Amino acid sequence: MIDFCIYLVTDRRQLSIPLLEGIEEALKGGIRAIQLREKDLSVRELLVLAAELRELTSRYDARLFINDRVDVAMVVEADGVHLGAGGMPVDSVRRLTGGEMLIGVSTHSLGDAEAAERAGADFITFGPVYETPSKMKYGPPQGPEKLRKVAGNIRIPVFAIGGIKKEKIGEVRDAGARGIALISGILASDSINKETEEYVRSMS
């Protein structure tokens, strides 16, 4: 069950404070879903961090997703896995986890979104909707109209990602997004707790 509308993706390079401290500030501000995405860490380092985040998110009754690493997700008993382009197929992850974990998939086109739904994903992220440095490798911004087309053609929840500032929330929700996924909008702010509270209010 997708019971959250803001999906916070980690990037420790965006913070001016330790990652765990920043995530706790976001959790205090109302975030209820975290995706651990630190691709440059070794498996051992990622596992340690995932275990720490599992303990932290459990304290705040929040969901934890692990980017791509199904093995790490299973070891720490995360709530789900988020699959990027070139990641494991959804049905393989479903078999490995015994259907116990939620599965999100990153998509960048209507075709990607439809394929993720057919494969059995629980939700997708779609973007980049707006220009953002972290998503430049995925091409130019898709814009709200492409988001609208995706949201109108699939039944599973769509989370808009890429340059989602507070003033853009109304636009992406009007386009059919169930929620938003973001990194720097919260983690790079001077006050993570305050910024999180503002995003949560904007989504309510």
Side-chain angles (χ1 to χ4, degrees):
M1 176 184 175
I2 308 306
D3 53 1
F4 52 90
C5 59
I6 302 179
Y7 190 37
L8 182 61
V9 182
T10 75
D11 180 351
R12 68 192 188 284
R13 291 176 294 267
Q14 300 269 358
L15 291 97
S16 58
I17 58 177
L19 178 61
L20 289 173
E21 186 179 327
I23 295 301
E24 183 159 21
E25 286 300 301
L27 291 166
K28 287 177 180 176
I31 289 293
R32 290 297 171 262
I34 303 287
Q35 180 198 144
L36 175 57
R37 186 181 186 273
E38 302 292 335
K39 292 188 172 185
D40 60 322
L41 295 181
S42 69
V43 175
R44 185 181 295 273
E45 291 170 324
L46 188 67
L47 187 56
V48 169
L49 182 54
E52 291 172 325
L53 277 175
R54 173 71 291 180
E55 190 277 329
L56 186 58
T57 51
S58 294
R59 260 196 280 145
Y60 287 89
D61 195 26
R63 293 189 181 274
L64 175 65
F65 293 80
I66 308 296
N67 186 76
D68 278 336
R69 296 302 307 239
V70 183
D71 51 350
V72 172
M74 292 174 70
V75 169
V76 303
E77 298 183 353
D79 298 286
V81 179
H82 192 95
L83 305 174
M88 286 184 68
V90 173
D91 58 347
S92 297
V93 175
R94 191 73 72 193
R95 284 197 300 273
L96 275 172
T97 60
E100 294 298 312
M101 287 189 185
L102 293 168
I103 301 175
V105 176
S106 295
T107 68
H108 309 289
S109 68
L110 176 58
D112 288 350
E114 291 174 331
E117 182 177 50
R118 284 196 304 273
D122 294 295
F123 68 98
I124 64 165
T125 57
F126 175 78
V129 179
Y130 305 104
E131 191 169 330
T132 180
S134 67
K135 297 294 179 185
M136 286 179 69
K137 66 181 179 180
Y138 299 112
Q142 301 277 356
E145 285 311 309
K146 286 187 179 177
L147 171 63
R148 185 184 305 278
K149 189 171 184 181
V150 167
N153 279 276
I154 67 172
R155 295 179 297 279
I156 59 176
V158 178
F159 285 75
I161 192 168
I164 312 295
K165 306 300 183 187
K166 291 189 293 291
E167 60 270 20
K168 298 292 188 182
I169 288 175
E171 190 170 60
V172 298
R173 297 195 81 175
D174 286 346
R178 162 72 173 273
I180 59 171
L182 67 165
I183 304 172
S184 61
I186 284 177
L187 297 184
S189 63
D190 293 331
S191 174
I192 291 175
N193 182 269
K194 181 172 178 287
E195 197 70 11
T196 301
E197 288 177 347
E198 291 180 5
Y199 267 100
V200 169
R201 276 197 298 272
S202 296
M203 291 295 293
S204 61

